[in-house]
Amino acid sequence: MVDNVSFKVVLKDQEADNELRRFVMDKDVSTSFPYLQEKLCHVFPQLKQKIFSVTWTDEDGDMVTIATDEELIIALTEMPGPVYKLNIDVKSPKKTDDGRNDSNQDSQIHHGVTCDACEKHQLREIATNVLFVMTLIFVELVRLLVGILDTT
């Protein structure tokens, strides 16, 4: 059986009600903050157009920000498991190269219609999804190689 790390995450967005989700990550990638960010964007698709921070509550009740692998390792070490509780605080919409907000209103996908803003949005979303899938494939390949090496 594959070892997984279980997360319970609250999305706090001023524009919407809080949203609570649970998901698991493979233990081998659970200490990678960039992987966690990609997973969060997969679980909460609206984060792709937002600037957000990830926090956890320490034993003193303080909200501690996670922005690096090291800070994620500290959080996972100090939080009681087996379910690790994180918070996502949405800061603002992402800005485009021309300074506009990159929100759903500015970059909607109109099927059958091509415009500059939508085309950029679609390409970025496709690239993000491809990167996420490539990361999952890489993790599986490493797992297979380790299994092969263990059997020899």
Side-chain angles (χ1 to χ4, degrees), residues 123-141:
L123 292 176
R124 183 176 54 248
E125 187 169 322
I126 290 169
T128 300
N129 289 339
V130 167
L131 179 63
F132 181 72
V133 170
M134 288 176 64
T135 303
L136 292 175
I137 291 170
F138 178 76
V139 168
E140 288 302 315
L141 285 173

Side-chain angles (χ1 to χ4, degrees), residues 25-89:
M25 284 177 35
D26 187 65
K27 190 172 185 175
D28 296 340
V29 294
S30 65
T31 58
S32 168
F33 184 67
Y35 189 89
L36 175 62
Q37 287 178 305
E38 288 297 320
K39 181 72 172 185
L40 291 171
C41 287
H42 184 73
V43 172
F44 300 102
Q46 63 270 40
L47 290 177
K48 294 175 186 173
Q49 291 93 26
K50 307 283 185 168
I51 296 172
F52 63 92
S53 65
V54 180
T55 61
W56 64 285
T57 305
D58 70 5
E59 69 277 354
D60 297 327
D62 297 323
M63 296 296 285
V64 182
T65 300
I66 302 171
T68 65
D69 289 350
E70 181 181 6
E71 290 170 338
L72 178 57
I73 292 168
I74 291 169
L76 293 173
T77 303
E78 293 191 17
M79 273 191 279
V83 178
Y84 298 98
K85 297 178 183 179
L86 300 175
N87 302 297
I88 303 172
D89 296 304

